[in-house]
Every structure is written in C-alpha cells, then in structure tokens.
Amino acid sequence: MPELPEVEVIKNMIQPLLKGKIINYSIIRVKKLKYIIPNEIIEINNQKILNIKRRGRYILLILINNTIIIHLGMTGKLFLLNNIKNSFQYHKHDHIDLIIDNNLILRYTDIRKFGFWLWEKKNYKTNIFLKKLGFEPLTNEFNNLYLYNISKKKNLPIKILIMDNKIVTGIGNIYANESLFISNILPTRNSSTLSFKEITFLVKNIKYILSQSIKYGGSTIIDYRLPDNNIGTYSKYLYVYGKKNKLCKICYTKIIKINQRNRSTFFCYKCQK
Ligand SMILES: [Zn+2]
C-alpha cells in the first residue's frame, strides 16, 4: 500500500508536469472503483489544473472551482504517458485516463480497485475524508509538545497512537515500526509512560524517517512503482520492518514479530525499551 512518502514522491513527480495544464477530457473504463466515479469526472471538459497537492495519502488536483481527490487504495498507480495515442493502448486494469493539454495522459491503474476518485465542489479541506485527518507529520504543528500531551491523555500502545490518522496523518506501518526502533522505544509501551525526552526523540525520528524515505523515492515493499516506473529504494535502509528472525543491525539479536490490531509489529527487545 502506498504510504505518505510514496504519495509525496508521486505528487512531486507529477506536479511540475501538470501544474497550469488543462484537462481536456477523461476516458473512464469502469463505473466504480471503491466508490462510483463521479459524473463530474466522467464529463470533465477543459478544466485548468491550478496546482497539485498532497494531504495524508490523498493526491489533490486543484481546479478553479473544484478539486479531484485521488486515493490509491492498496494497488492504485498513476502513470504519465507522453503520447495521446497511448489512450488506444490499455490493459484490463487501466481504469481512468485524463487527457492533458491534448498531448499527455495521466493514467490510473488499479488491480484491486480499492482506490477511489472523488469530486469536491467546496473547499477540499471540508471534504468528508480530508476534514478528519490530523496534522501532517512533516509540519511544525506535529511537534514534541503536541504528541506528549496526547500521549499522556491516551492509554494506548505508542505504535497504535502514532498510527492514528486523527492524531497525525500518514505514519503507516512501515514508518511507525522504523521510527520506534531508532527511538529505542518498544511499540507496545503505553503512551502515557513515555518521558518528554523520549517523545521529543520519537517526533524527531518520525520526521527524519519520512524525509529520508521521500528522498529515496519510498519503500516499494510490494508491487509498487513510481510514475516513471522506477522502484523506490528506501526498503534497503529498513531496520526492523519485514525482518522477522533476521539479526538486529545494531545488537545482532533476533528481530521479533507480533501483531497489534491486526498489523505486523517488528522490534528488537534489546534495543527497544
Ligand atoms: Zn537490537
């Protein structure tokens, strides 16, 4: 599943190529992804893309009065094809083409169809999915004092807390596991037991891990490609995620895997307390 760094990388790749361009029309080959494709997207006609933004794991195509909101679900991918003739060549899972400036195609491919496209007429910030998202982890609003206060109030395992999108949005499973490892904090620790110093270190490391992953183009754990068909290389730098029974890179103890709320948790019991 594409997590925040992967979505940020995609946004950064398509933004310079699509900003200021016109969506001439769309070619829609399915009625429904996770949700029914809105009529406004089916009938779109010469609409200017003012900007491309990311919020959480959503990609936003900001138009003059409306916003197209794209969520990639589990297997959604965006490709940019540089010849309009490519719209005649497509595969079973190529569900949406946006024809841009009569020469580019923004293509959406999704094998499992858990992704979705929405049309927001009002300010996108008021969208039903976007308005419940917590702070962006790479902004100053997400800081040590904020996380410390919430950690004291909630009696939750720290990993569950930092993965709660209403508290901070977009720290997925990979990055939660990795941030806790380099912060020497056990994922199962009750959040209210963490000291201000530990929280400060954790917040710093969450920002570091996400920024590094964006720099290396995301993690690409399972079947995930960037729009230029390159593979993200951050997975080479992982310490614990997906490393059950492998040796910890710091102390050579075996990495342990447990389940927390049906998500895999990986940790080193020597390095993390
Ligand atoms: Zn270790």
Side-chain angles (χ1 to χ4, degrees), residues 4 8 37 47 69 77 84 100 102 116 127 139 143 156 164 171 202-203 215 228 230 251 263:
L4 184 150
E8 177 71 10
I37 297 177
Q47 292 247 12
I69 300 172
K77 291 167 193 169
I84 194 169
I100 315 276
N102 287 313
F116 52 91
N127 176 268
T139 62
N143 57 42
L156 282 172
D164 184 339
I171 303 175
L202 176 60
V203 167
K215 190 173 148 194
D228 63 359
N230 282 334
C251 75
R263 303 300 300 273

Side-chain angles (χ1 to χ4, degrees), residues 39 78 187 199 211 214 240 258 269-270:
N39 270 332
L78 287 169
I199 290 281
S211 312
I214 291 165
V240 285
I258 59 166
Y269 75 87
K270 267 200 178 169

Side-chain angles (χ1 to χ4, degrees), residues 181 248-253 255 268-272:
F181 175 80
C248 168
K249 288 179 184 176
I250 306 298
C251 75
Y252 307 108
T253 303
I255 303 293
C268 170
Y269 75 87
K270 267 200 178 169
C271 290
Q272 292 169 265

Side-chain angles (χ1 to χ4, degrees), residues 80-116:
L80 271 172
L81 308 175
N82 62 6
N83 190 331
I84 194 169
K85 286 184 186 145
N86 282 314
S87 67
F88 301 114
Q89 292 176 7
Y90 56 89
H91 296 99
K92 188 169 129 192
H93 304 296
D94 297 338
H95 305 304
I96 299 177
D97 283 355
L98 294 184
I99 310 299
I100 315 276
D101 266 13
N102 287 313
N103 66 12
L104 266 182
I105 300 168
L106 180 66
R107 172 164 288 176
Y108 180 75
T109 300
D110 192 345
I111 294 171
R112 296 180 69 180
K113 289 198 228 168
F114 289 145
F116 52 91

